[in-house]
């Protein structure tokens, strides 16, 4: 078997562009005639990781490395901090690609969608697998745009570590804060990489200070830059007291020399590095007791004698405990500092076995995996990305979907390489796999080997929960933990070119919804039109473009509209009776409900029952009652928008024997709608938190424009030579803002938007909105 593999490894060099989708690893007798010499956009990809040159590894070590040698990491950052460029360099130095891709040229590996290449931004996360110095790294490049925050969230859910990339001239920016909070939520250890050290205005000191102040993190300086902006030429390794200089004549940054700092040649740099190393040792000793004991016992007199290995081990422990974050620097575009970053990933970020997942004890060695992303491939159908927490996945394996309560069969198993994949015979715990053949699995579904396995795990979890004072609800939640999907804030109608194309549009939207859970599609009950609900203008624009390119449908979008909400201001009661005879059966229901406002913010109505309602009656009709209340609150009396921040109390319920649950639900729904109509009503509008980075010269026109848009400025900060305006502005007044801002500032300003909350509109704005909706203005 190995000899056949050796033949393939030698042969692959003579075919420079083999489409990697067709390489079937476990059928090693794959003859060359099965390989199609075609790679999109003419990129040259190398063969399987580990098969570079004549470096032949056993097939098993390539596909299933020891779990301690696996690193599942994500690259996360604000827009334009250099995530994709960093990923591109990582793939090149690890031997996966043979040429350096560029975002501006539109030929990067992870930005493979046409929309990404045109706009120069990442829209959907892409996974790549590669080897680095004996370690298997599963890397996910995530988007930085706020419209695609969910894409970052669902990837962080399955990762063990992350690299946060910063623009060294800007430090911590708006979206950096968002992704940092997401990483905190999932307890992800992370490394900071200060990118763009060669950029005009780059400041290592400023960037580190912004991490300390804005992210409330403790930075561990593992590197110091040699020069900044135009003079940047390398970095100093503080741990080993060595300088790393990149060859200025080298086009790809592969050639760099590592030299120890000497008193004779670099007295100033050595002094600065020694001070930084001593400060680092003290900082780590404060955070790690084990390391503090070693330092006090053996090296308290002279920190220079402390071996680098002991310091690195302590930094690894501190990173895992998330009490501090290692900080490195470089310039991805100028090919400097990437190799030390890869070393830091393998050295300081955790392996899967070092992360403590409580639910693993309930599964023992049975299969437990989480589906975190779905893609649609025209040839293969749905491709499901899975993180394997325990057990092994193989092709032709029947698996049980706990969330969907269905059993499916995996037809093929692949290793992800952006838009190209390698077929494999099996994959063990700790890895990220790509499966073909799962028709019903969606994002956030828990995958197990069988229904009995899930039940056994649930029983173990319940027993454990009872020991901890009956926390079995918590156990059940962790068992099926998925991803929280944010509510959409924009919506618009979408129309097919003709009625005959409506089924094709519905199929396209169904596939896109499965890929992107933040996209919602609903049918307008009044007009019968299809309504798209998304996270922002760019999100809806991308969906429209994808329908055109991928499904060949020229659709028409209606004007973008804001997703308002409604609430009530006072308490009201209403009674309703429904009396229908269908066939020879009489359905009679009488309901009395009270609707009142609540102070705590709640998207769904809070349902309460009066003491007079008997338990026996509730037992048979509770589901129908709650269904009726929820459906009534989906469409408010003013704009037909969802009603929030209300409590509905059921005071009395009389049901004639033989009345169907559908009639109960309909009567309750009608009664709640009657109560909402009687109450004093209020429209709530989405309020966005806004951050505008603008040059001092253009600050006045930007502030004047925001004042016209009902903006509320909270503070104006200084960031290097720029001003950062932070405030709140209603979403209805910020539509199309990017074009206006570009005009006001000659294209020099940038801005970031994020949904903050829903706020009550004043009566004048509310009346204007209602008149506009009813066609009076």
């Amino acid at each position: 078997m190995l000899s056949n593999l050796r033949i393939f490894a030698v042969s692959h060099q003579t075919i420079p562009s083999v489409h990697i989708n067709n390489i079937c690893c476990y059928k090693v007798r794959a003859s060359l005639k099965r390989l199609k010499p075609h790679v999109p956009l003419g990129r040259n990809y190398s063969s399987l990781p580990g098969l570079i040159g004549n470096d032949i590894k056993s097939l098993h070590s390539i596909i299933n490395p020891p779990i301690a040698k696996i690193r599942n990491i994500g690259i996360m950052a604000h827009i334009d901090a250099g995530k994709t460029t960093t990923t591109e360099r990582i793939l090149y130095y690890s031997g996966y690609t043979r040429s350096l891709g560029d975002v501006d040229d539109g030929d990067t590996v992870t930005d493979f969608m046409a929309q990404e290449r045109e706009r120069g931004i990442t829209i959907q996360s892409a996974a790549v697998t590669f080897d680095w110095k004996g370690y298997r790294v599963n890397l996910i490049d995530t988007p930085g745009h706020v419209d695609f925050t969910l894409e970052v969230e669902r990837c962080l859910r399955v990762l063990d570590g992350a690299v946060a990339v910063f623009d060294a001239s800007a430090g911590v920016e708006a979206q950096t804060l968002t992704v940092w909070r997401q990483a905190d939520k999932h307890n992800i250890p992370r490394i900071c990489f200060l990118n763009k050290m060669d950029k005009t205005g780059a400041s290592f000191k400023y960037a580190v200070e912004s991490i300390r102040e804005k992210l409330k993190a403790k930075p561990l300086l593992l590197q110091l830059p040699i020069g900044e902006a135009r003079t940047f030429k390398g970095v100093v390794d503080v741990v080993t007291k060595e300088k790393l200089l990149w060859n200025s004549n080298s086009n790809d940054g592969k050639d760099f020399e590592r030299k120890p700092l000497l008193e004779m040649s670099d007295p100033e740099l050595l002094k600065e590095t020694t001070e930084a190393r001593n400060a680092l040792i003290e900082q780590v000793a404060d955070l790690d007791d084990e390391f503090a004991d070693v330092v006090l016992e053996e090296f308290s007199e002279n920190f220079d004698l402390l071996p680098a290995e002991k310091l690195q081990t302590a930094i690894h422990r501190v990173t895992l405990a998330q009490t501090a974050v290692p900080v490195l620097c470089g310039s991805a575009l100028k090919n400097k500092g990437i190799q030390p970053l890869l070393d830091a990933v393998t050295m300081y970020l955790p392996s899967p076995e070092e992360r403590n997942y409580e639910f693993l004890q309930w599964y023992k060695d049975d299969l437990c995996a989480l589906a975190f992303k779905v893609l649609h491939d025209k040839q293969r159908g749905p491709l499901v990305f899975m993180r394997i927490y325990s057990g092994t996945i193989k092709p032709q394996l029947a698996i049980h979907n706990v969330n969907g309560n269905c059993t499916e069969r995996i037809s093929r198993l692949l290793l992800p390489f952006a838009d190209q994949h390698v077929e494999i015979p099996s994959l063990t715990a700790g890895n990220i796999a790509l499966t073909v053949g799962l028709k019903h699995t969606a994002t956030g579904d828990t995958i197990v080997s069988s229904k009995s396995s899930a039940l056994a795990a649930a029983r173990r979890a319940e027993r454990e929960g009872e020991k901890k004072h009956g926390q079995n609800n918590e156990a059940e939640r962790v068992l099926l933990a998925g991803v929280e999907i944010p509510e959409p804030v924009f919506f618009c109608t979408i129309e097919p070119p003709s009625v005959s194309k409506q089924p094709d549009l519905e199929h396209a939207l169904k596939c896109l919804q499965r890929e992107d859970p933040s996209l919602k599609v609903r049918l307008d009950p009044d007009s019968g039109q299809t309504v798209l609900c998304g996270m922002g203008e760019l999100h809806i624009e991308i969906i429209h473009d994808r329908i055109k390119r991928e499904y060949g449908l020229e659709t028409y979008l209606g004007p973008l509209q804001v997703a308002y909400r409604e609430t009530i201001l006072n308490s009201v009661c209403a009674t309703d009776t429904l009396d229908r005879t269908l066939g020879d059966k009489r359905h009679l229901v009488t309901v009395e409900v009270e609707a009142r406002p609540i102070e705590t913010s709640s998207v769904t109505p809070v349902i309460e029952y009066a003491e007079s309602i008997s338990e026996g009656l509730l037992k048979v009709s509770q589901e129908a009652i709650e269904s009726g209340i929820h459906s009534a609150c989906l469409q408010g009396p003013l704009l037909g928008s969802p009603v929030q921040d209300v409590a509905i109390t059921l005071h009395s319920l009389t049901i004639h024997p033989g009345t169907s649950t559908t009639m109960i639900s309909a009567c309750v729904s009608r009664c709640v709608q009657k109560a909402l109509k009687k109450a004093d009503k209020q429209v709530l509008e989405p309020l966005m938190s806004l951050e505008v980075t603008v040059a001092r010269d253009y600050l006045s026109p930007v502030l004047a424009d925001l004042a016209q848009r009902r903006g509320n400025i909270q503070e104006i900060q200084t960031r290097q030579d720029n001003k950062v305006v932070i405030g709140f502005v209603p979403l209805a007044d910020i539509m199309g803002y990017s074009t206006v801002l570009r005009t006001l500032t000659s294209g020099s300003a940038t801005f970031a938007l994020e949904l903050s909350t829903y706020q009550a509109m004043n009566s004048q704005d509310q009346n204007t909105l209602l008149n506009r909706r009813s066609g009076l203005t």
Side-chain angles (χ1 to χ4, degrees):
M1 186 176 188
L2 193 60
S3 61
N4 286 337
L5 187 62
R6 208 172 261 121
I7 292 164
F8 166 68
V10 173
S11 304
H12 90 277
Q13 295 172 334
T14 60
I15 303 176
S17 49
V18 173
H19 196 296
I20 219 156
N21 280 343
N22 295 302
I23 302 170
C24 177
C25 303
Y26 67 100
K27 294 182 180 173
V28 189
R29 47 187 167 66
S31 55
L32 288 174
K33 65 185 177 186
R34 287 179 56 200
L35 306 176
K36 298 179 185 176
H38 163 68
V39 170
L41 291 171
R43 290 300 304 277
N44 283 330
Y45 296 91
S46 63
S47 61
L48 285 173
L51 295 184
I52 297 157
N54 294 317
D55 176 20
I56 306 300
K57 297 179 182 177
S58 83
L59 195 60
H60 192 266
S61 73
I62 295 167
I63 304 306
N64 285 319
I67 196 163
K69 294 280 187 181
I70 297 173
R71 297 289 182 273
N72 293 311
I73 65 160
I75 305 262
M76 58 182 204
H78 185 81
I79 316 148
D80 284 342
K83 296 177 297 298
T84 302
T85 307
T86 303
T87 306
E88 194 65 29
R89 288 349 180 223
I90 285 172
L91 294 176
Y92 180 70
Y93 298 131
S94 62
Y96 169 50
T97 55
R98 293 183 187 155
S99 61
L100 286 166
D102 196 309
V103 173
D104 298 329
D105 294 341
D107 63 351
T108 57
V109 174
T110 51
D111 284 359
F112 53 82
M113 283 171 65
Q115 293 86 347
E116 293 176 315
R117 292 185 163 177
E118 283 172 5
R119 289 171 174 80
I121 59 168
T122 304
I123 291 166
Q124 63 175 21
S125 53
V128 283
T129 305
F130 61 90
D131 285 6
W132 178 257
K133 295 184 178 176
Y135 286 85
R136 156 62 50 81
V137 183
N138 297 311
L139 182 145
I140 296 181
D141 178 26
T142 64
H145 199 283
V146 68
D147 284 17
F148 310 109
T149 303
L150 178 75
E151 195 71 28
V152 183
E153 173 96 8
R154 61 178 174 178
C155 292
L156 287 177
R157 170 72 186 79
V158 296
L159 295 173
D160 300 319
V163 177
V165 180
F166 298 79
D167 181 335
S169 65
V172 175
E173 297 173 90
Q175 193 65 9
T176 317
L177 280 162
T178 306
V179 294
W180 197 268
R181 281 197 302 267
Q182 288 174 315
D184 282 339
K185 179 179 165 184
H186 295 293
N187 295 317
I188 306 279
R190 60 217 90 141
I191 285 175
C192 295
F193 179 62
L194 305 182
N195 191 23
K196 304 193 179 185
M197 283 303 302
D198 62 313
K199 187 179 174 182
T200 306
S203 168
F204 183 78
K205 190 177 177 184
Y206 168 78
V208 169
E209 202 52 45
S210 75
I211 291 170
R212 187 178 283 116
E213 284 180 14
K214 293 184 180 177
L215 300 178
K216 303 291 183 278
K218 292 179 181 173
L220 301 175
L221 304 188
L222 306 190
Q223 290 179 349
L224 297 174
I226 301 173
E228 283 181 351
R230 286 186 178 181
T231 59
F232 178 69
K233 56 184 177 185
V235 297
V236 173
D237 189 329
V238 173
V239 177
T240 59
K241 292 211 287 191
E242 294 173 320
K243 65 176 179 180
L244 284 71
L245 294 173
W246 273 261
N247 186 345
S248 56
N249 298 322
S250 171
N251 292 326
D252 62 4
K254 272 191 175 177
D255 301 328
F256 68 95
E257 50 183 350
R258 185 186 280 268
K259 290 181 181 175
L261 288 170
L262 301 171
E263 185 73 48
M264 292 170 63
S265 53
D266 304 291
E268 285 295 315
L269 201 54
L270 179 62
K271 185 186 173 188
E272 190 186 346
T273 306
T274 304
E275 287 172 3
R277 189 175 194 265
N278 292 346
L280 176 67
I281 291 168
E282 287 171 11
Q283 207 179 347
V284 175
D286 284 345
L287 299 168
D288 187 82
D289 294 339
E290 189 182 328
F291 181 66
D293 293 341
V294 170
V295 172
L296 289 170
E297 285 170 19
E298 301 174 40
F299 307 103
S300 56
E301 298 299 318
N302 188 355
F303 284 172
D304 290 345
L305 299 174
L306 180 76
E309 292 76 23
K310 287 189 184 295
L311 181 54
Q312 286 163 346
T313 307
I315 293 169
H316 177 75
R317 286 198 299 269
V318 167
T319 308
L320 252 64
Q322 294 168 58
T323 48
V325 286
V327 176
L328 299 97
C329 63
S331 168
L333 190 65
K334 293 295 186 324
N335 313 317
K336 292 173 181 150
I338 301 300
Q339 296 94 328
L341 174 64
L342 274 169
D343 291 336
V345 163
T346 57
M347 208 178 290
Y348 304 125
L349 290 179
S351 68
E353 64 183 356
E354 288 174 304
R355 294 299 306 281
N356 182 26
Y357 296 110
E358 193 182 328
F359 55 86
L360 284 186
Q361 60 186 346
W362 306 325
Y363 281 102
K364 307 292 185 192
D365 293 326
D366 275 354
L367 173 66
C368 173
L370 185 83
F372 67 94
K373 185 176 165 70
V374 180
L375 283 179
H376 276 84
D377 186 283
K378 285 187 177 175
Q379 276 76 40
R380 300 189 184 98
L383 305 177
V384 180
F385 283 84
M386 281 187 197
R387 163 68 196 269
I388 310 169
Y389 288 102
S390 65
T392 304
I393 284 185
K394 294 180 179 178
Q396 304 308 319
L397 179 75
I399 53 98
H400 180 70
N401 182 333
V402 181
N403 300 53
N405 194 22
C406 61
T407 300
E408 297 188 83
R409 189 173 294 279
I410 295 170
S411 60
R412 293 164 71 194
L413 189 63
L414 309 165
L415 263 187
F417 286 96
D419 58 338
Q420 305 188 40
H421 316 108
V422 174
E423 197 161 334
I424 48 173
S426 69
L427 212 53
T428 52
N431 278 292
I432 287 174
L434 191 54
T435 59
V436 182
L438 303 181
K439 300 282 189 292
H440 306 291
T441 303
T443 297
D445 286 356
T446 304
I447 303 299
V448 296
S449 54
S450 63
K451 194 168 185 176
S452 58
S453 165
L455 291 171
R459 279 196 295 272
R460 289 187 200 110
E462 203 172 312
R463 284 199 295 273
E464 192 69 29
E466 283 167 6
K467 286 179 195 170
K468 295 180 182 176
H469 313 293
Q471 293 178 340
N472 31 348
N473 284 348
E474 177 68 16
E476 190 177 317
R477 191 182 68 75
V478 173
L479 201 68
L480 312 174
V483 180
E484 288 178 28
I485 297 164
E487 287 295 313
V489 288
F490 273 102
F491 66 92
C492 69
T493 57
I494 184 167
E495 296 283 345
S498 64
V499 179
S500 62
K501 296 286 183 184
Q502 182 68 32
D504 296 342
L505 176 61
E506 285 171 7
H507 169 71
L509 290 173
K510 189 179 175 184
C511 292
L512 289 169
Q513 265 185 290
R514 199 169 159 207
E515 280 187 33
D516 180 1
S518 63
L519 171 70
K520 304 277 172 67
V521 179
R522 61 181 173 82
L523 210 64
D524 188 303
D526 298 327
S527 64
Q529 289 178 299
T530 306
V531 179
L532 279 187
C533 310
M535 302 306 297
E537 290 178 77
L538 180 65
H539 187 202
I540 286 179
E541 186 190 323
I542 296 291
I543 294 296
H544 183 226
D545 197 34
R546 287 189 66 188
I547 291 171
K548 180 182 174 182
R549 290 184 197 230
E550 295 173 27
Y551 299 93
L553 288 171
E554 280 281 0
T555 52
Y556 306 106
L557 287 184
L560 276 175
Q561 296 181 40
V562 175
Y564 291 101
R565 299 269 174 86
E566 298 177 32
T567 191
I568 57 172
L569 301 173
N570 61 330
S571 189
V572 286
C573 288
T575 309
D576 198 11
T577 302
L578 187 145
D579 190 356
R580 290 263 176 87
T581 304
L582 297 175
D584 57 350
K585 215 174 193 183
R586 189 184 181 197
H587 301 270
L588 176 62
V589 191
T590 304
V591 180
E592 185 188 345
V593 299
E594 180 192 0
R596 59 184 171 82
I598 53 172
E599 289 180 10
T600 53
S601 181
S602 173
V603 179
T604 53
V606 176
I607 300 170
E608 297 165 350
Y609 298 95
E611 289 179 9
S612 57
I613 307 289
S614 69
E615 280 189 26
L617 194 62
L618 269 184
K619 200 171 183 180
V620 293
S621 58
Q622 186 172 0
E623 195 177 321
I625 293 164
E626 293 186 0
S627 169
I629 292 172
H630 283 296
S631 67
C633 290
L634 283 175
Q635 283 195 300
L638 283 174
L639 296 168
S641 301
V643 179
Q644 70 173 45
D645 306 341
V646 294
I648 306 292
T649 307
L650 185 71
H651 283 295
S652 75
L653 176 67
T654 312
I655 303 171
H656 186 273
T659 301
S660 74
T661 54
T662 311
M663 293 296 177
I664 298 169
S665 186
C667 184
V668 170
S669 180
R670 201 168 70 180
C671 190
V672 172
Q673 281 177 336
K674 196 187 281 186
L676 293 174
K677 278 177 185 169
K678 280 168 71 177
D680 295 334
K681 298 167 280 292
Q682 171 75 58
V683 175
L684 304 174
E685 64 177 344
L687 189 70
M688 310 299 281
S689 61
L690 172 73
E691 183 178 297
V692 184
T693 307
V694 60
R696 292 168 193 268
D697 304 348
Y698 297 111
L699 182 62
S700 297
V702 167
L703 291 176
D705 179 65
L706 285 174
Q708 288 181 339
R709 295 172 183 273
R710 297 189 287 146
N712 177 10
I713 308 301
Q714 298 294 303
E715 62 175 317
I716 300 172
Q717 299 175 349
T718 301
R719 181 186 288 164
Q720 305 284 73
D721 298 330
N722 293 327
K723 290 289 185 183
V724 180
V725 181
I726 295 169
F728 298 102
V729 64
L731 177 60
D733 292 293
I734 207 78
M735 288 218 255
Y737 184 59
S738 55
T739 312
V740 175
L741 185 66
R742 211 175 291 134
T743 308
L744 285 174
T745 62
S746 302
S748 62
T750 60
F751 77 101
L753 273 178
E754 191 175 2
L755 179 66
S756 172
T757 183
Y758 273 82
Q759 71 165 11
M761 292 181 84
N762 65 46
S763 54
Q764 186 183 345
D765 291 332
Q766 181 169 317
N767 289 335
T768 306
L769 173 69
L770 293 172
N771 288 337
R772 193 168 68 241
R773 283 290 181 94
S774 58
L776 296 174
T777 55

